[in-house]
Amino acid sequence: MELNICHLYPDILNLYGDRGNIITMKRRLESRGISVNVDECSIGQPLDVDKYDIFFIGGGQDHEQKVIAKDLPSKRDELVKYIERGGVGLAICGGYQLIGQYYETAHGEKIQGLGALPHYTLHQENLARFIGDIEIRNDEFGETYLGFENHNGRTFLGEGEKPLGTVVSGHGNNGEDHSEGAIYKNMFCSYFHGPLLVRNRHLAERLIDTAVKQKESGE
C-alpha cells in the first residue's frame, strides 16, 4: 500500500515545529510497511485533492495567516470536496482558524477564512492570550490528549462540529465552554502546538487507521 500526504503552506505555516506531525505520520506508516509520499502545496500552486489520503495544515501568526487567506479561495472548492467526502485531515492553530468561516486578528481585523467548516474565531481584548500546558479528554474515543496552547483567538464551533476534547486543565477553544479543537467528519482541528501527534500517538494512529481503511475500501 502507498499513501499520499499533502502538506499545505509548509513554507509559511510552521510556527511551532508543526512539521513534526508530518514526520510522525510518515514514520508510523512506514513502520507498518506502508510507503508514504509527502507533497507540499503553497501559494499559487494548483491543488488536486483526488491524489491525497491525508491533508495537513499548520499554524502561523496573524501576518502569515493574512497572506494565506488571499490564496485560499483558489483552493476552496477542492478542499471542501475533500472534507465533505470524509477525507482525513489535521489542522493546527492558524490552520484551524483559516479553514473556518472567519477569524479576527489580535487587533480586531476580520479575515475571511476558507469557509469549509462552520466555526469562527474572535479576538481577545488587550492582546490577551491563552498560553500554557493543556489536557483534554475525549470520552467518545476514551482518550486523553496533552499539549501546549498559545493563541489570542477565541474559537466557537458551529453546526455539525464536535470538540476534539473537553478541557481538563487549560483554556481550550475560547476559555468559556470547556471545548478544545474540533472534529468534522474526518477533519481534526486543534490549538495544540508541540507538535500534537508527537505527544499523542494514539491520535496519530486514529488518523492513520482511518486513512488506511479508506484506501483499502477505495473510498
Side-chain angles (χ1 to χ4, degrees):
M1 180 182 290
E2 180 179 86
L3 260 64
N4 299 298
I5 299 175
C6 181
H7 190 172
L8 286 172
Y9 308 113
D11 52 335
I12 302 173
L13 298 180
N14 189 32
L15 185 61
Y16 285 94
D18 294 325
R19 189 185 295 269
N21 291 300
I22 294 284
I23 296 171
T24 297
M25 288 189 286
K26 186 174 187 293
R27 289 182 177 174
R28 297 192 76 78
L29 281 163
E30 289 173 342
S31 72
R32 297 187 185 190
I34 298 173
S35 299
V36 185
N37 297 312
V38 179
D39 291 342
E40 299 183 349
C41 183
S42 193
I43 290 175
Q45 297 177 324
L47 176 63
D48 178 6
V49 297
D50 293 332
K51 297 168 53 178
Y52 299 110
D53 306 292
I54 301 175
F55 267 83
F56 174 74
I57 181 170
Q61 297 182 10
D62 285 348
H63 172 72
E64 287 79 14
Q65 288 179 247
K66 285 191 284 186
V67 171
I68 297 302
K70 296 177 182 178
D71 185 72
L72 277 176
S74 68
K75 298 177 173 60
R76 184 184 189 281
D77 290 347
E78 286 290 293
L79 287 170
V80 169
K81 178 175 73 172
Y82 179 85
I83 292 170
E84 288 298 324
R85 77 179 184 209
V88 178
L90 176 63
I92 298 295
C93 199
Y96 172 21
Q97 294 174 348
L98 281 168
I99 65 172
Q101 298 300 306
Y102 65 87
Y103 83 95
E104 293 179 348
T105 70
H107 295 282
E109 181 182 358
K110 187 175 180 179
I111 305 298
Q112 192 66 36
L114 181 67
L117 271 62
H119 59 262
Y120 62 93
T121 301
L122 306 177
H123 75 294
Q124 297 185 62
E125 300 293 338
N126 302 318
L127 303 182
R129 302 186 69 83
F130 294 141
I131 303 176
D133 292 327
I134 179 170
E135 176 182 345
I136 64 174
R137 176 72 180 174
N138 187 307
D139 289 331
E140 179 182 352
F141 300 156
E143 296 174 352
T144 296
Y145 308 131
L146 303 174
F148 181 83
E149 60 180 342
N150 182 0
H151 55 104
N152 169 267
R154 296 180 294 125
T155 297
F156 297 87
L157 303 186
E159 184 176 356
E161 288 183 299
K162 53 187 177 182
L164 176 62
T166 300
V167 174
V168 176
S169 61
H171 302 282
N173 282 332
N174 51 57
E176 300 175 22
D177 61 16
H178 306 291
S179 69
E180 202 293 315
I183 301 174
Y184 178 83
K185 298 192 174 183
N186 289 318
M187 189 71 199
F188 290 72
C189 308
S190 179
Y191 273 115
F192 283 24
H193 294 293
L196 168 64
L197 298 184
V198 173
R199 296 184 67 180
N200 301 281
R201 294 184 177 182
H202 42 315
L203 182 57
E205 293 294 338
R206 181 170 298 280
L207 295 172
I208 289 169
D209 286 343
T210 303
V212 168
K213 288 177 183 177
Q214 289 186 343
K215 191 78 168 185
E216 290 175 335
S217 66
E219 293 182 10

